[in-house]
Each structure stands twice: as C-alpha cells, then as structure tokens.
PDB file of all heavy atoms in Angstrom:
ATOM      1  N   THR A 278       0.837  -1.198   0.000  1.00 90.00           N
ATOM      2  CA  THR A 278       0.000   0.000   0.000  1.00 90.00           C
ATOM      3  C   THR A 278       0.871   1.247   0.000  1.00 90.00           C
ATOM      4  O   THR A 278       2.026   1.217   0.401  1.00 90.00           O
ATOM      5  CB  THR A 278      -0.950   0.040   1.213  1.00 90.00           C
ATOM      6  OG1 THR A 278      -0.178   0.006   2.412  1.00 90.00           O
ATOM      7  CG2 THR A 278      -1.933  -1.099   1.198  1.00 90.00           C
ATOM      8  N   ILE A 279       0.265   2.347  -0.459  1.00 93.00           N
ATOM      9  CA  ILE A 279       0.888   3.658  -0.376  1.00 93.00           C
ATOM     10  C   ILE A 279      -0.127   4.607   0.231  1.00 93.00           C
ATOM     11  O   ILE A 279      -1.339   4.384   0.144  1.00 93.00           O
ATOM     12  CB  ILE A 279       1.363   4.188  -1.746  1.00 93.00           C
ATOM     13  CG1 ILE A 279       0.189   4.318  -2.711  1.00 93.00           C
ATOM     14  CG2 ILE A 279       2.458   3.322  -2.313  1.00 93.00           C
ATOM     15  CD1 ILE A 279       0.518   5.129  -3.945  1.00 93.00           C
ATOM     16  N   SER A 280       0.365   5.660   0.857  1.00 93.00           N
ATOM     17  CA  SER A 280      -0.494   6.659   1.473  1.00 93.00           C
ATOM     18  C   SER A 280       0.063   8.035   1.152  1.00 93.00           C
ATOM     19  O   SER A 280       1.278   8.212   1.056  1.00 93.00           O
ATOM     20  CB  SER A 280      -0.527   6.445   2.986  1.00 93.00           C
ATOM     21  OG  SER A 280      -1.222   7.495   3.618  1.00 93.00           O
ATOM     22  N   ASP A 281      -0.842   9.009   0.999  1.00 92.00           N
ATOM     23  CA  ASP A 281      -0.376  10.359   0.672  1.00 92.00           C
ATOM     24  C   ASP A 281      -0.393  11.291   1.875  1.00 92.00           C
ATOM     25  O   ASP A 281      -0.157  12.474   1.742  1.00 92.00           O
ATOM     26  CB  ASP A 281      -1.186  10.951  -0.477  1.00 92.00           C
ATOM     27  CG  ASP A 281      -2.625  11.239  -0.113  1.00 92.00           C
ATOM     28  OD1 ASP A 281      -3.060  10.938   1.014  1.00 92.00           O
ATOM     29  OD2 ASP A 281      -3.343  11.780  -0.983  1.00 92.00           O
ATOM     30  N   GLY A 282      -0.666  10.787   3.080  1.00 83.00           N
ATOM     31  CA  GLY A 282      -0.629  11.613   4.278  1.00 83.00           C
ATOM     32  C   GLY A 282      -1.895  12.405   4.539  1.00 83.00           C
ATOM     33  O   GLY A 282      -1.996  13.086   5.554  1.00 83.00           O
ATOM     34  N   THR A 283      -2.886  12.339   3.645  1.00 89.00           N
ATOM     35  CA  THR A 283      -4.149  13.059   3.862  1.00 89.00           C
ATOM     36  C   THR A 283      -5.252  12.102   4.304  1.00 89.00           C
ATOM     37  O   THR A 283      -6.406  12.487   4.375  1.00 89.00           O
ATOM     38  CB  THR A 283      -4.618  13.777   2.578  1.00 89.00           C
ATOM     39  OG1 THR A 283      -4.951  12.794   1.591  1.00 89.00           O
ATOM     40  CG2 THR A 283      -3.557  14.720   2.057  1.00 89.00           C
ATOM     41  N   GLY A 284      -4.878  10.849   4.561  1.00 86.00           N
ATOM     42  CA  GLY A 284      -5.868   9.844   4.935  1.00 86.00           C
ATOM     43  C   GLY A 284      -6.231   8.920   3.788  1.00 86.00           C
ATOM     44  O   GLY A 284      -6.920   7.926   3.991  1.00 86.00           O
ATOM     45  N   ARG A 285      -5.800   9.249   2.579  1.00 91.00           N
ATOM     46  CA  ARG A 285      -6.067   8.365   1.449  1.00 91.00           C
ATOM     47  C   ARG A 285      -4.946   7.339   1.330  1.00 91.00           C
ATOM     48  O   ARG A 285      -3.776   7.654   1.539  1.00 91.00           O
ATOM     49  CB  ARG A 285      -6.165   9.146   0.137  1.00 91.00           C
ATOM     50  CG  ARG A 285      -7.319  10.099   0.068  1.00 91.00           C
ATOM     51  CD  ARG A 285      -7.487  10.729  -1.288  1.00 91.00           C
ATOM     52  NE  ARG A 285      -6.239  11.307  -1.789  1.00 91.00           N
ATOM     53  CZ  ARG A 285      -6.081  11.770  -3.027  1.00 91.00           C
ATOM     54  NH1 ARG A 285      -7.079  11.733  -3.880  1.00 91.00           N
ATOM     55  NH2 ARG A 285      -4.928  12.281  -3.410  1.00 91.00           N
ATOM     56  N   SER A 286      -5.317   6.111   0.977  1.00 91.00           N
ATOM     57  CA  SER A 286      -4.316   5.077   0.723  1.00 91.00           C
ATOM     58  C   SER A 286      -4.788   4.210  -0.433  1.00 91.00           C
ATOM     59  O   SER A 286      -5.983   4.128  -0.716  1.00 91.00           O
ATOM     60  CB  SER A 286      -4.059   4.236   1.976  1.00 91.00           C
ATOM     61  OG  SER A 286      -5.186   3.465   2.296  1.00 91.00           O
ATOM     62  N   TRP A 287      -3.840   3.580  -1.091  1.00 93.00           N
ATOM     63  CA  TRP A 287      -4.103   2.746  -2.254  1.00 93.00           C
ATOM     64  C   TRP A 287      -3.421   1.402  -2.071  1.00 93.00           C
ATOM     65  O   TRP A 287      -2.292   1.330  -1.585  1.00 93.00           O
ATOM     66  CB  TRP A 287      -3.563   3.395  -3.522  1.00 93.00           C
ATOM     67  CG  TRP A 287      -4.216   4.683  -3.878  1.00 93.00           C
ATOM     68  CD1 TRP A 287      -5.245   4.857  -4.760  1.00 93.00           C
ATOM     69  CD2 TRP A 287      -3.915   5.983  -3.380  1.00 93.00           C
ATOM     70  NE1 TRP A 287      -5.586   6.184  -4.833  1.00 93.00           N
ATOM     71  CE2 TRP A 287      -4.781   6.897  -3.985  1.00 93.00           C
ATOM     72  CE3 TRP A 287      -2.986   6.467  -2.449  1.00 93.00           C
ATOM     73  CZ2 TRP A 287      -4.772   8.258  -3.717  1.00 93.00           C
ATOM     74  CZ3 TRP A 287      -2.962   7.822  -2.175  1.00 93.00           C
ATOM     75  CH2 TRP A 287      -3.844   8.700  -2.809  1.00 93.00           C
ATOM     76  N   THR A 288      -4.093   0.338  -2.483  1.00 89.00           N
ATOM     77  CA  THR A 288      -3.488  -0.989  -2.524  1.00 89.00           C
ATOM     78  C   THR A 288      -3.056  -1.227  -3.962  1.00 89.00           C
ATOM     79  O   THR A 288      -3.854  -1.070  -4.888  1.00 89.00           O
ATOM     80  CB  THR A 288      -4.477  -2.074  -2.069  1.00 89.00           C
ATOM     81  OG1 THR A 288      -4.858  -1.799  -0.713  1.00 89.00           O
ATOM     82  CG2 THR A 288      -3.848  -3.452  -2.161  1.00 89.00           C
ATOM     83  N   LEU A 289      -1.798  -1.606  -4.138  1.00 91.00           N
ATOM     84  CA  LEU A 289      -1.261  -1.789  -5.480  1.00 91.00           C
ATOM     85  C   LEU A 289      -1.700  -3.129  -6.062  1.00 91.00           C
ATOM     86  O   LEU A 289      -1.675  -4.147  -5.375  1.00 91.00           O
ATOM     87  CB  LEU A 289       0.263  -1.705  -5.452  1.00 91.00           C
ATOM     88  CG  LEU A 289       0.824  -0.401  -4.877  1.00 91.00           C
ATOM     89  CD1 LEU A 289       2.347  -0.434  -4.887  1.00 91.00           C
ATOM     90  CD2 LEU A 289       0.301   0.801  -5.634  1.00 91.00           C
ATOM     91  N   SER A 290      -2.126  -3.107  -7.325  1.00 90.00           N
ATOM     92  CA  SER A 290      -2.565  -4.339  -7.986  1.00 90.00           C
ATOM     93  C   SER A 290      -1.604  -4.788  -9.077  1.00 90.00           C
ATOM     94  O   SER A 290      -1.680  -5.914  -9.546  1.00 90.00           O
ATOM     95  CB  SER A 290      -3.977  -4.167  -8.567  1.00 90.00           C
ATOM     96  OG  SER A 290      -4.007  -3.086  -9.474  1.00 90.00           O
ATOM     97  N   SER A 291      -0.706  -3.914  -9.504  1.00 91.00           N
ATOM     98  CA  SER A 291       0.365  -4.305 -10.429  1.00 91.00           C
ATOM     99  C   SER A 291       1.501  -3.306 -10.278  1.00 91.00           C
ATOM    100  O   SER A 291       1.273  -2.140  -9.971  1.00 91.00           O
ATOM    101  CB  SER A 291      -0.128  -4.354 -11.876  1.00 91.00           C
ATOM    102  OG  SER A 291      -0.364  -3.054 -12.359  1.00 91.00           O
ATOM    103  N   THR A 292       2.714  -3.796 -10.466  1.00 92.00           N
ATOM    104  CA  THR A 292       3.886  -2.932 -10.341  1.00 92.00           C
ATOM    105  C   THR A 292       4.938  -3.334 -11.364  1.00 92.00           C
ATOM    106  O   THR A 292       4.995  -4.496 -11.783  1.00 92.00           O
ATOM    107  CB  THR A 292       4.530  -3.035  -8.937  1.00 92.00           C
ATOM    108  OG1 THR A 292       4.997  -4.362  -8.737  1.00 92.00           O
ATOM    109  CG2 THR A 292       3.549  -2.654  -7.839  1.00 92.00           C
ATOM    110  N   ARG A 293       5.740  -2.367 -11.773  1.00 92.00           N
ATOM    111  CA  ARG A 293       6.897  -2.664 -12.613  1.00 92.00           C
ATOM    112  C   ARG A 293       7.886  -1.523 -12.481  1.00 92.00           C
ATOM    113  O   ARG A 293       7.507  -0.370 -12.270  1.00 92.00           O
ATOM    114  CB  ARG A 293       6.525  -2.901 -14.061  1.00 92.00           C
ATOM    115  CG  ARG A 293       6.268  -1.684 -14.876  1.00 92.00           C
ATOM    116  CD  ARG A 293       6.049  -2.048 -16.356  1.00 92.00           C
ATOM    117  NE  ARG A 293       5.861  -0.868 -17.146  1.00 92.00           N
ATOM    118  CZ  ARG A 293       6.827  -0.237 -17.805  1.00 92.00           C
ATOM    119  NH1 ARG A 293       8.052  -0.667 -17.758  1.00 92.00           N
ATOM    120  NH2 ARG A 293       6.564   0.842 -18.515  1.00 92.00           N
ATOM    121  N   GLN A 294       9.146  -1.867 -12.588  1.00 91.00           N
ATOM    122  CA  GLN A 294      10.202  -0.871 -12.521  1.00 91.00           C
ATOM    123  C   GLN A 294      10.522  -0.398 -13.926  1.00 91.00           C
ATOM    124  O   GLN A 294      10.754  -1.201 -14.822  1.00 91.00           O
ATOM    125  CB  GLN A 294      11.438  -1.477 -11.865  1.00 91.00           C
ATOM    126  CG  GLN A 294      12.518  -0.475 -11.592  1.00 91.00           C
ATOM    127  CD  GLN A 294      13.690  -1.088 -10.839  1.00 91.00           C
ATOM    128  OE1 GLN A 294      13.929  -2.280 -10.930  1.00 91.00           O
ATOM    129  NE2 GLN A 294      14.405  -0.267 -10.108  1.00 91.00           N
ATOM    130  N   HIS A 295      10.495   0.912 -14.125  1.00 87.00           N
ATOM    131  CA  HIS A 295      10.819   1.504 -15.421  1.00 87.00           C
ATOM    132  C   HIS A 295      12.198   2.132 -15.296  1.00 87.00           C
ATOM    133  O   HIS A 295      12.389   3.081 -14.529  1.00 87.00           O
ATOM    134  CB  HIS A 295       9.791   2.569 -15.800  1.00 87.00           C
ATOM    135  CG  HIS A 295      10.052   3.211 -17.115  1.00 87.00           C
ATOM    136  ND1 HIS A 295      10.877   4.300 -17.249  1.00 87.00           N
ATOM    137  CD2 HIS A 295       9.620   2.918 -18.356  1.00 87.00           C
ATOM    138  CE1 HIS A 295      10.931   4.657 -18.515  1.00 87.00           C
ATOM    139  NE2 HIS A 295      10.174   3.838 -19.204  1.00 87.00           N
ATOM    140  N   ALA A 296      13.173   1.583 -15.997  1.00 83.00           N
ATOM    141  CA  ALA A 296      14.536   2.091 -15.916  1.00 83.00           C
ATOM    142  C   ALA A 296      15.128   2.237 -17.313  1.00 83.00           C
ATOM    143  O   ALA A 296      14.961   1.362 -18.150  1.00 83.00           O
ATOM    144  CB  ALA A 296      15.401   1.146 -15.088  1.00 83.00           C
ATOM    145  N   VAL A 297      15.781   3.355 -17.535  1.00 85.00           N
ATOM    146  CA  VAL A 297      16.470   3.607 -18.798  1.00 85.00           C
ATOM    147  C   VAL A 297      17.967   3.479 -18.522  1.00 85.00           C
ATOM    148  O   VAL A 297      18.512   4.256 -17.735  1.00 85.00           O
ATOM    149  CB  VAL A 297      16.135   5.004 -19.357  1.00 85.00           C
ATOM    150  CG1 VAL A 297      16.914   5.269 -20.632  1.00 85.00           C
ATOM    151  CG2 VAL A 297      14.643   5.143 -19.586  1.00 85.00           C
ATOM    152  N   PRO A 298      18.636   2.501 -19.124  1.00 88.00           N
ATOM    153  CA  PRO A 298      20.070   2.321 -18.867  1.00 88.00           C
ATOM    154  C   PRO A 298      20.867   3.591 -19.137  1.00 88.00           C
ATOM    155  O   PRO A 298      20.715   4.226 -20.180  1.00 88.00           O
ATOM    156  CB  PRO A 298      20.471   1.205 -19.831  1.00 88.00           C
ATOM    157  CG  PRO A 298      19.197   0.480 -20.131  1.00 88.00           C
ATOM    158  CD  PRO A 298      18.117   1.521 -20.075  1.00 88.00           C
ATOM    159  N   GLY A 299      21.677   3.966 -18.161  1.00 88.00           N
ATOM    160  CA  GLY A 299      22.542   5.122 -18.323  1.00 88.00           C
ATOM    161  C   GLY A 299      21.894   6.469 -18.062  1.00 88.00           C
ATOM    162  O   GLY A 299      22.551   7.490 -18.094  1.00 88.00           O
ATOM    163  N   ILE A 300      20.575   6.489 -17.813  1.00 85.00           N
ATOM    164  CA  ILE A 300      19.883   7.759 -17.554  1.00 85.00           C
ATOM    165  C   ILE A 300      19.008   7.590 -16.297  1.00 85.00           C
ATOM    166  O   ILE A 300      17.784   7.487 -16.381  1.00 85.00           O
ATOM    167  CB  ILE A 300      19.013   8.200 -18.750  1.00 85.00           C
ATOM    168  CG1 ILE A 300      19.830   8.146 -20.039  1.00 85.00           C
ATOM    169  CG2 ILE A 300      18.473   9.615 -18.525  1.00 85.00           C
ATOM    170  CD1 ILE A 300      19.058   8.441 -21.283  1.00 85.00           C
ATOM    171  N   PRO A 301      19.618   7.547 -15.107  1.00 80.00           N
ATOM    172  CA  PRO A 301      18.855   7.296 -13.890  1.00 80.00           C
ATOM    173  C   PRO A 301      17.851   8.393 -13.529  1.00 80.00           C
ATOM    174  O   PRO A 301      16.910   8.147 -12.775  1.00 80.00           O
ATOM    175  CB  PRO A 301      19.931   7.160 -12.815  1.00 80.00           C
ATOM    176  CG  PRO A 301      21.105   7.900 -13.354  1.00 80.00           C
ATOM    177  CD  PRO A 301      21.041   7.729 -14.845  1.00 80.00           C
ATOM    178  N   ASP A 302      18.005   9.596 -14.081  1.00 80.00           N
ATOM    179  CA  ASP A 302      17.086  10.683 -13.760  1.00 80.00           C
ATOM    180  C   ASP A 302      15.660  10.429 -14.232  1.00 80.00           C
ATOM    181  O   ASP A 302      14.727  11.078 -13.751  1.00 80.00           O
ATOM    182  CB  ASP A 302      17.575  12.003 -14.358  1.00 80.00           C
ATOM    183  CG  ASP A 302      18.830  12.509 -13.674  1.00 80.00           C
ATOM    184  OD1 ASP A 302      19.147  12.025 -12.559  1.00 80.00           O
ATOM    185  OD2 ASP A 302      19.506  13.380 -14.245  1.00 80.00           O
ATOM    186  N   VAL A 303      15.452   9.516 -15.172  1.00 81.00           N
ATOM    187  CA  VAL A 303      14.106   9.260 -15.677  1.00 81.00           C
ATOM    188  C   VAL A 303      13.532   7.940 -15.164  1.00 81.00           C
ATOM    189  O   VAL A 303      12.458   7.534 -15.588  1.00 81.00           O
ATOM    190  CB  VAL A 303      14.045   9.299 -17.221  1.00 81.00           C
ATOM    191  CG1 VAL A 303      14.452  10.668 -17.730  1.00 81.00           C
ATOM    192  CG2 VAL A 303      14.908   8.216 -17.836  1.00 81.00           C
ATOM    193  N   ASP A 304      14.232   7.279 -14.240  1.00 85.00           N
ATOM    194  CA  ASP A 304      13.735   6.016 -13.690  1.00 85.00           C
ATOM    195  C   ASP A 304      12.561   6.276 -12.748  1.00 85.00           C
ATOM    196  O   ASP A 304      12.510   7.300 -12.057  1.00 85.00           O
ATOM    197  CB  ASP A 304      14.842   5.291 -12.924  1.00 85.00           C
ATOM    198  CG  ASP A 304      15.969   4.841 -13.826  1.00 85.00           C
ATOM    199  OD1 ASP A 304      15.813   4.922 -15.061  1.00 85.00           O
ATOM    200  OD2 ASP A 304      17.002   4.411 -13.284  1.00 85.00           O
ATOM    201  N   TYR A 305      11.611   5.350 -12.712  1.00 88.00           N
ATOM    202  CA  TYR A 305      10.483   5.424 -11.790  1.00 88.00           C
ATOM    203  C   TYR A 305       9.868   4.039 -11.653  1.00 88.00           C
ATOM    204  O   TYR A 305      10.193   3.117 -12.387  1.00 88.00           O
ATOM    205  CB  TYR A 305       9.431   6.440 -12.252  1.00 88.00           C
ATOM    206  CG  TYR A 305       8.756   6.098 -13.557  1.00 88.00           C
ATOM    207  CD1 TYR A 305       7.546   5.398 -13.565  1.00 88.00           C
ATOM    208  CD2 TYR A 305       9.302   6.474 -14.776  1.00 88.00           C
ATOM    209  CE1 TYR A 305       6.917   5.078 -14.765  1.00 88.00           C
ATOM    210  CE2 TYR A 305       8.681   6.163 -15.972  1.00 88.00           C
ATOM    211  CZ  TYR A 305       7.494   5.468 -15.958  1.00 88.00           C
ATOM    212  OH  TYR A 305       6.882   5.160 -17.142  1.00 88.00           O
ATOM    213  N   VAL A 306       8.980   3.899 -10.689  1.00 91.00           N
ATOM    214  CA  VAL A 306       8.210   2.680 -10.512  1.00 91.00           C
ATOM    215  C   VAL A 306       6.793   2.990 -10.961  1.00 91.00           C
ATOM    216  O   VAL A 306       6.182   3.954 -10.487  1.00 91.00           O
ATOM    217  CB  VAL A 306       8.219   2.209  -9.039  1.00 91.00           C
ATOM    218  CG1 VAL A 306       7.311   1.005  -8.857  1.00 91.00           C
ATOM    219  CG2 VAL A 306       9.639   1.903  -8.585  1.00 91.00           C
ATOM    220  N   GLN A 307       6.288   2.202 -11.888  1.00 92.00           N
ATOM    221  CA  GLN A 307       4.925   2.369 -12.386  1.00 92.00           C
ATOM    222  C   GLN A 307       4.037   1.345 -11.694  1.00 92.00           C
ATOM    223  O   GLN A 307       4.410   0.175 -11.570  1.00 92.00           O
ATOM    224  CB  GLN A 307       4.885   2.149 -13.885  1.00 92.00           C
ATOM    225  CG  GLN A 307       3.505   2.231 -14.482  1.00 92.00           C
ATOM    226  CD  GLN A 307       3.534   1.985 -15.983  1.00 92.00           C
ATOM    227  OE1 GLN A 307       4.571   2.047 -16.625  1.00 92.00           O
ATOM    228  NE2 GLN A 307       2.376   1.696 -16.530  1.00 92.00           N
ATOM    229  N   ALA A 308       2.869   1.772 -11.231  1.00 93.00           N
ATOM    230  CA  ALA A 308       1.954   0.857 -10.553  1.00 93.00           C
ATOM    231  C   ALA A 308       0.514   1.248 -10.847  1.00 93.00           C
ATOM    232  O   ALA A 308       0.234   2.364 -11.289  1.00 93.00           O
ATOM    233  CB  ALA A 308       2.204   0.876  -9.041  1.00 93.00           C
TER     234      ALA A 308
END
C-alpha cells in the first residue's frame, strides 16, 4: 500500500520498474 498523508491510501494491484540504462534521472516505478 501507499499513502499520501491526507488519509487516502491505495493498494497496489500491479507494479513494474521503469529504468532507462545510463539515464537514472528518468527512472520510476509504475503501478
């Protein structure tokens, strides 16, 4: 789960890591 601190939370149903080799500034986790 993730929470935004305002009382809302989400349960993740799918996740994947998005990474561009050699360019770490654009990496993120998509869910």
Side-chain angles (χ1 to χ4, degrees):
T278 59
I279 60 166
S280 173
D281 68 357
T283 66
R285 295 187 309 171
S286 68
W287 296 264
T288 299
L289 303 179
S290 58
S291 71
T292 63
R293 79 174 183 94
Q294 187 175 26
H295 180 273
V297 177
I300 310 175
D302 291 344
V303 299
D304 294 350
Y305 64 94
V306 175
Q307 177 181 344

